């Protein structure tokens, strides 16, 4: 695994952070279906409504290629402006 130096320290990373603004349930359903059609799955839940609720509560959701865990993408709302 490749190591990256950020702020003077070296660490390996196994995910990609994707920060998204507030999203509607319709848009999340569209994104969910696009990921699934492209061979990905959501780690947290396979129910788009549950994923929407998680994002609404400022929690991250994770997506990965079907049948794997790493690497994965963490999709999350911003912590602040």
């Amino acid at each position: 695994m490749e190591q990256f130096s950020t702020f003077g320290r070296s660490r390996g990373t196994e995910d990609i952070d994707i920060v998204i603004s507030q999203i509607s349930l319709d848009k999340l359903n569209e994104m969910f279906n696009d990921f699934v059609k492209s061979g990905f799955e959501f780690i947290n839940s396979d129910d788009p409504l549950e994923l929407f609720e998680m994002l609404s509560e400022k929690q991250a959701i994770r997506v990965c290629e079907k049948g794997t865990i790493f690497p994965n993408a963490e999709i999350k709302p911003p912590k602040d402006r």
Side-chain angles (χ1 to χ4, degrees):
M1 172 159 295
E2 212 171 316
Q3 297 269 328
F4 297 96
S5 179
T6 306
F7 303 110
R9 72 174 216 228
S10 180
R11 71 180 191 122
T13 184
E14 297 170 334
D15 71 347
I16 298 166
D17 293 341
I18 302 171
V19 180
I20 61 170
S21 59
Q22 188 173 1
I23 188 170
S24 69
L25 180 55
D26 288 338
K27 280 290 185 191
L28 180 70
N29 275 320
E30 185 180 326
M31 181 181 77
F32 179 89
N33 290 328
D34 287 345
F35 270 110
V36 171
K37 286 178 189 172
S38 297
F40 293 87
E41 63 185 345
F42 286 82
I43 297 171
N44 309 78
S45 175
D46 59 359
D47 180 359
L49 181 57
E50 283 183 32
L51 298 172
F52 177 76
E53 289 171 353
M54 290 179 69
L55 287 172
S56 296
E57 295 170 359
K58 304 280 188 203
Q59 297 177 36
I61 58 176
R62 291 187 177 267
V63 64
C64 61
E65 281 189 278
K66 193 169 186 154
T68 67
I69 294 179
F70 299 112
N72 63 66
E74 182 181 30
I75 302 169
K76 56 189 175 182
K79 293 181 180 178
D80 55 37
R81 277 184 67 147

